[in-house]
């Protein structure tokens, strides 16, 4: 509303005369008075002249003039009084407007506060809605499956019905979010009723795989097993299979990564050393994978330690866990298609399965053993096999558990190979024959006998995380069909490193950590020689490890050049940009079971080159740089 609109109704006006009062500002309480007011004084003087003229003797003309002057003065005074009246009315209007302005400001502030309260409420509702609707099909699927496990252990459903419900959930998981996302907080009895109502669904066959293992990324990771478990599980689930993981409940687990962690309120026992022992069972979802944690009660010290390996009682610890995992699977009524074991730590589950559990309704399950290598095998006294219920006399034989070199001991990894349907050996570049004859660590006779079931697979990584076409850390995505985005990534890496963005320069990336195994003296020589030929280097270290940090500092002091950039603190986004922006990735070795630098380099269109390569070999990759650009 304008000022004029508010003022005019408060000021009376006549048809013949209107007054315009100049105001200083809508916010001012004072108005500048018209100059005419300054001419009228209290004693009647006008412009310094007295209202009463001095006596003069000029006859009747003076009286007339006096009368005329008085009439004029009266009229002027009347005008002044009218002006003062209007001035006071204007002041009143200004005060009124100020009150209205203050009131309007108060109402505006009140509206702003109400708006903020509404925005906060909306944000809260959006977060709640995101919490519920953000659960993808796989997470909801796993929460339902783990609740079914709880129902079986609690005696609410039979193992037969549980098996049917699991298959229904697996086959119908594409429509589970809309139906069950709001029902997961209900009690088991109510949820069971809903599951039974939802028993009609599509029938799509997929394998059910259960990993019994000792590591999983990001919960607990020591070597290449942890990323292998997570990456393989996610890849299989993307293909329509259902994969779950059973782990010991270590005290050092990163449980912040677990969604919906809950304890199953039911008794769970496993056989060990001649009697049954209680366990606490925990379930949750990790990166879309259902995970079950087994926590021993009597043997609570087994997994409450700083390190997870290299303890004197490792045989007892992991044998207990393997037997407890199978007891849990059998009691919960699970019927997996594949039971996937890993390394010697869970290899004993193979003979346990065939000797004891295959007769408990699991005859259709098959055993798959994966070995990250044969250098760790676990040899122990034969009598210890009886701890988990195996028969030492029947198994301590050359074709079963007996170690080839130390015949008085049993070899746990050997027993796992013998009792598995398939055995996978992880190797990036070695053939089956070379592995059997040169890398078997005493298992050559056993591997030769079972070579038909021996498979060689390269170490891998999670393709969904390391994919230049979808990588969220890259400024521009690209693929093998369209490599133009790689040049943009190269420029971005050069700019972040503060080095020249000349397109013809060969950019070499290098990831240095405790696990990378670089010979830094040899690496210095390679860098010095290559930069003389015009190459650029970006070296990314892991600042959390003091030895790596000190080594890189020393490296930088030895190689001072504007075309060499050192990043001391590891950064996930930067590591992806190094692979995407580099023409060449320098590797310590092509056999890299943990970091998989060479495979990631190939996926991002960079050439992996060993540090053993000379400068000439590195510079011959210029054609690759030009092609990728």
């Amino acid at each position: 509303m304008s000022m004029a609109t508010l003022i005019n109704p408060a000021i009376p006006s006549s048809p013949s005369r209107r007054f315009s009062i100049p105001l200083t500002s809508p916010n001012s309480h004072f108005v500048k008075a018209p100059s005419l007011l300054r001419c009228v004084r209290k004693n009647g003087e006008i412009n310094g002249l007295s209202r009463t003229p001095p006596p003069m003797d000029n006859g009747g003309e003076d009286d007339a003039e006096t009368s005329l002057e008085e009439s004029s003065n009266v009229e002027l005074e009347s005008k002044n009084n009218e002006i003062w009246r209007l001035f006071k009315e204007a002041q009143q209007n200004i005060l009124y407007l100020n009150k209205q302005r203050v009131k309007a400001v108060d109402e505006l502030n009140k509206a702003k506060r109400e708006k903020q309260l509404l925005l906060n409420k909306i944000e809260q509702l959006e977060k709640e809605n995101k919490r519920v609707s953000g659960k993808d099909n796989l997470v909801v699927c796993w929460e339902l499956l783990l609740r079914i496990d709880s129902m079986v252990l609690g005696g609410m459903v039979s193992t037969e019905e549980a098996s049917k419900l699991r298959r229904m959930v697996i086959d119908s998981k594409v429509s589970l979010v809309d139906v069950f996302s709001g029902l997961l907080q209900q009690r088991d009895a109510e949820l069971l009723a809903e599951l039974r109502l939802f028993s009609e669904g599509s029938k799509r066959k997929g394998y059910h795989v259960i990993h019994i293992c000792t590591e999983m990324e990001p919960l607990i990771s020591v070597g290449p097993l942890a990323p292998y478990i997570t990456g393989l599980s996610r890849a299989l689930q993307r293909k329509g299979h259902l994969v779950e993981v059973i782990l010991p409940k270590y005290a050092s687990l990163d449980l912040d990564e677990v969604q919906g962690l809950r304890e199953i309120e039911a008794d769970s026992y496993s056989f060990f050393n001649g009697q049954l022992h209680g366990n606490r069972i925990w379930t949750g979802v990790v990166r879309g994978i259902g995970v079950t944690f087994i926590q021993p009660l009597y043997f609570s010290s087994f997994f409450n330690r700083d390190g997870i390996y290299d303890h004197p009682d490792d045989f007892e610890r992991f044998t207990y866990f393997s037997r407890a995992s199978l007891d849990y699977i059998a009691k919960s009524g699970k019927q997996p298609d594949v039971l996937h074991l890993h390394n010697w730590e869970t290899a004993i589950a193979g003979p346990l399965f065939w000797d004891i559990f295959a007769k408990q309704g699991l005859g259709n399950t098959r055993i798959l053993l994966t070995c990250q290598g044969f250098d760790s095998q676990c040899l122990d006294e034969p009598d210890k096999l009886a701890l988990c219920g195996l028969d030492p006399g029947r198994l301590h034989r050359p074709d079963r558990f007996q170690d080839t070199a130390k015949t008085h001991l049993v070899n746990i990894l050997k027993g796992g190979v013998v009792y598995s349907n398939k055995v996978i050996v992880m190797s990036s570049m070695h053939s089956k024959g070379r592995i059997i004859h040169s890398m078997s660590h005493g298992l050559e006779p056993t591997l030769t006998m079972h070579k038909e079931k021996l498979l060689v697979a390269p170490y891998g990584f999670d393709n969904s995380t390391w994919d230049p076409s979808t990588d969220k850390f890259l400024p521009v995505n690209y693929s093998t069909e369209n490599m133009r985005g790689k040049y943009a990534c190269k420029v971005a890496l050069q700019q972040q490193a503060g080095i020249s963005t000349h397109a013809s320069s060969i950019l070499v990336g290098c990831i240095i950590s405790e696990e990378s195994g670089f010979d830094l003296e040899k690496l210095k020589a390679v860098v010095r020689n290559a930069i003389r030929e015009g190459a650029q280097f970006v070296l990314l270290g892991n600042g959390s490890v003091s030895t790596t940090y000190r080594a890189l500092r020393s490296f930088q002091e030895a190689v001072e050049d504007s075309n060499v950039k050192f990043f001391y603190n590891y950064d996930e986004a930067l590591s992806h940009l190094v692979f995407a922006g580099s023409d060449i990735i320098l590797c310590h070795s092509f056999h890299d079971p943990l970091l998989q630098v060479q495979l990631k380099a190939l996926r991002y269109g960079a050439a992996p080159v060993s540090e053993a390569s000379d400068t000439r070999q590195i510079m011959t990759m210029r054609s690759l740089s030009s092609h990728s650009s």
Side-chain angles (χ1 to χ4, degrees):
M1 182 178 295
S2 67
M3 179 72 71
T5 305
L6 290 174
I7 292 178
N8 287 339
I11 303 177
S13 60
S14 65
S16 60
R17 300 177 64 184
R18 295 183 185 271
F19 294 92
S20 177
I21 304 301
L23 306 179
T24 58
S25 132
N27 297 326
S28 173
H29 293 283
F30 301 98
V31 182
K32 184 177 180 181
S35 59
L36 181 60
L37 298 179
R38 295 197 301 269
C39 299
V40 182
R41 299 191 178 179
K42 199 169 185 179
N43 60 1
E45 292 181 353
I46 301 176
N47 292 332
L49 299 177
S50 171
R51 182 175 296 182
T52 303
M56 296 180 63
D57 186 14
N58 51 1
E61 293 180 1
D62 292 339
D63 293 337
E65 290 178 3
T66 300
S67 176
L68 181 62
E69 184 177 351
E70 288 178 352
S71 175
S72 176
N73 289 340
V74 169
E75 183 180 356
L76 181 60
E77 184 175 2
S78 176
K79 290 181 181 179
N80 290 338
N81 292 336
E82 179 70 11
I83 291 172
W84 273 113
R85 184 181 65 80
L86 293 176
F87 177 68
K88 290 179 180 179
E89 288 182 0
Q91 283 186 317
Q92 292 175 353
N93 283 326
I94 291 172
L95 292 174
Y96 172 79
L97 290 175
N98 281 334
K99 290 179 180 179
Q100 293 296 105
R101 180 182 62 81
V102 171
K103 183 179 179 181
V105 170
D106 290 340
E107 291 178 353
L108 179 62
N109 290 334
K110 180 180 178 181
K112 287 181 178 180
R113 288 193 297 269
E114 292 176 350
K115 177 184 176 182
Q116 188 60 46
L117 289 174
L118 289 173
L119 290 174
N120 293 339
K121 184 64 175 178
I122 291 172
E123 184 179 359
Q124 181 180 355
L125 291 173
E126 287 179 345
K127 288 182 178 179
E128 181 66 18
N129 183 60
K130 185 177 181 181
R131 183 186 67 81
V132 176
S133 63
K135 294 182 177 180
D136 58 20
N137 291 335
L138 205 52
V139 172
V140 174
C141 174
W142 265 116
E143 291 193 10
L144 287 172
L145 290 170
L146 295 172
R147 291 288 292 276
I148 293 173
D149 295 349
S150 175
M151 295 172 190
V152 176
L153 295 176
M156 294 183 61
V157 297
S158 65
T159 56
E160 291 78 14
E161 184 181 5
S163 179
K164 293 178 182 179
L165 290 174
R166 289 190 188 98
R167 179 54 60 186
M168 179 270 295
V169 170
I170 295 170
D171 293 340
S172 307
K173 61 176 178 284
V174 292
S175 57
L176 290 176
V177 171
D178 295 335
V179 179
F180 287 101
S181 60
L183 304 176
L184 292 172
Q185 304 303 320
Q186 294 184 355
R187 294 177 299 174
D188 284 350
E190 297 167 342
L191 185 59
L192 177 58
E194 296 291 341
L195 284 168
R196 285 169 173 165
L197 289 174
F198 192 73
S199 57
E200 294 183 4
S202 60
K203 301 297 180 182
R204 186 169 61 86
K205 178 65 176 176
Y207 287 112
H208 181 192
V209 181
I210 298 180
H211 291 279
I212 301 179
C213 54
T214 55
E215 297 180 42
M216 180 186 183
E217 192 179 67
L219 300 178
I220 189 160
S221 179
V222 176
L225 175 61
Y228 173 76
I229 293 292
T230 306
L232 177 63
S233 299
R234 296 182 69 184
L236 288 174
Q237 290 198 149
R238 285 195 296 270
K239 291 182 177 295
H241 306 294
L242 183 72
V243 186
E244 60 181 301
V245 175
I246 302 179
L247 283 171
K249 193 172 186 298
Y250 302 103
S252 54
L253 283 174
D254 184 3
L255 296 178
D256 290 339
E257 297 288 344
V258 184
Q259 289 181 274
L261 180 67
R262 64 189 295 268
E263 181 183 0
I264 295 181
E265 298 295 336
D267 294 332
S268 177
Y269 296 93
S270 60
F271 178 87
F272 194 75
N273 197 19
Q275 56 184 315
L276 295 177
H277 297 278
N279 303 300
R280 297 176 69 183
I281 306 298
W282 302 75
T283 60
V285 181
V286 179
R287 295 188 177 177
I289 306 163
V291 182
T292 299
F293 305 96
I294 295 180
Q295 181 181 12
L297 296 178
Y298 182 76
F299 296 101
S300 59
S301 65
F302 275 175
F303 305 111
N304 290 340
R305 305 177 184 182
D306 292 336
I308 68 173
Y309 300 128
D310 300 324
H311 295 283
D313 58 347
D314 276 356
F315 174 85
E316 289 82 357
R317 296 170 64 230
F318 295 116
T319 299
Y320 181 94
F321 166 68
S322 299
R323 175 64 195 249
S325 299
L326 292 171
D327 282 322
Y328 164 74
I329 291 172
K331 184 176 181 181
S332 61
K334 296 177 184 288
Q335 294 180 331
D337 299 294
V338 178
L339 196 59
H340 199 160
L341 315 178
H342 298 272
N343 301 327
W344 79 260
E345 286 83 3
T346 59
I348 202 167
L352 273 172
F353 175 84
W354 292 115
D355 280 11
I356 301 173
F357 292 91
K359 305 169 187 177
Q360 300 182 23
L362 296 173
N364 294 325
T365 300
R366 293 296 176 261
I367 304 299
L368 174 63
L369 172 66
T370 293
C371 300
Q372 304 294 320
F374 293 116
D375 52 332
S376 181
Q377 300 179 7
C378 186
L379 277 60
D380 219 318
E381 299 293 333
D383 291 343
K384 284 190 174 182
L385 294 176
L387 290 173
C388 60
L390 294 174
D391 183 357
R394 195 173 66 86
L395 297 178
H396 190 209
R397 292 169 31 178
D399 60 337
R400 296 186 181 177
F401 270 77
Q402 187 180 52
D403 187 66
T404 304
K406 299 178 181 180
T407 56
H408 64 290
L409 300 176
V410 290
N411 188 321
I412 305 305
L413 186 59
K414 176 182 176 179
V417 171
V418 172
Y419 279 86
S420 296
N421 298 99
K422 292 291 182 180
V423 178
I424 296 178
V425 183
M426 306 303 297
S427 176
S428 295
M429 56 186 301
H430 300 299
S431 65
K432 182 192 297 188
R434 183 176 179 186
I435 291 172
I436 292 175
H437 300 298
S438 304
M439 306 172 65
S440 58
H441 295 272
L443 291 179
E444 181 177 353
T446 302
L447 297 178
T448 300
M449 183 182 300
H450 296 275
K451 65 180 180 180
E452 295 302 321
K453 64 182 181 184
L454 187 65
L455 305 172
V456 179
Y459 291 99
F461 50 86
D462 189 354
N463 287 347
S464 64
T465 301
W466 295 92
D467 184 351
S469 65
T470 58
D471 196 326
K472 63 182 180 181
F473 295 115
L474 303 186
V476 180
N477 293 112
Y478 62 93
S479 64
T480 55
E481 291 77 19
N482 184 0
M483 294 287 288
R484 285 180 296 179
K486 184 170 177 61
Y487 175 70
C489 293
K490 179 177 180 178
V491 173
L493 179 58
Q494 289 172 323
Q495 290 176 341
Q496 188 166 344
I499 57 181
S500 170
T501 57
H502 199 283
S504 63
S505 299
I506 294 179
L507 184 55
V508 184
C510 186
I511 311 293
I512 299 178
S513 66
E514 289 291 290
E515 297 84 8
S516 58
F518 276 104
D519 182 341
L520 292 184
E521 291 302 320
K522 184 184 295 184
L523 185 59
K524 290 176 187 177
V526 171
V527 172
R528 286 195 188 99
N529 293 333
I531 58 179
R532 281 198 292 266
E533 298 292 334
Q536 299 173 330
F537 281 82
V538 173
L539 297 99
L540 175 61
N542 186 350
S544 62
V545 181
S546 58
T547 53
T548 303
Y549 181 84
R550 290 195 299 269
L552 279 178
R553 282 291 184 189
S554 175
F555 198 150
Q556 183 180 23
E557 293 172 0
V559 182
E560 286 286 348
D561 193 280
S562 60
N563 284 317
V564 181
K565 175 64 177 181
F566 293 83
F567 292 96
Y568 298 100
N569 297 316
Y570 182 82
D571 179 83
E572 182 71 14
L574 181 57
S575 68
H576 284 246
L577 186 59
V578 168
F579 281 104
S582 298
D583 301 307
I584 296 171
I585 295 293
L586 206 57
C587 312
H588 166 63
S589 169
F590 291 136
H591 180 73
D592 178 11
L594 183 59
L595 300 178
Q596 292 297 292
V597 171
Q598 74 283 4
L599 294 181
K600 293 174 183 175
L602 290 172
R603 187 165 179 81
Y604 279 73
V609 175
S610 171
E611 68 168 332
S613 305
D614 58 24
T615 306
R616 184 177 302 174
Q617 288 176 295
I618 294 178
M619 299 310 294
T620 55
M621 304 306 294
R622 184 182 298 274
S623 59
L624 174 65
S625 173
S626 301
H627 175 70
S628 64
S629 300

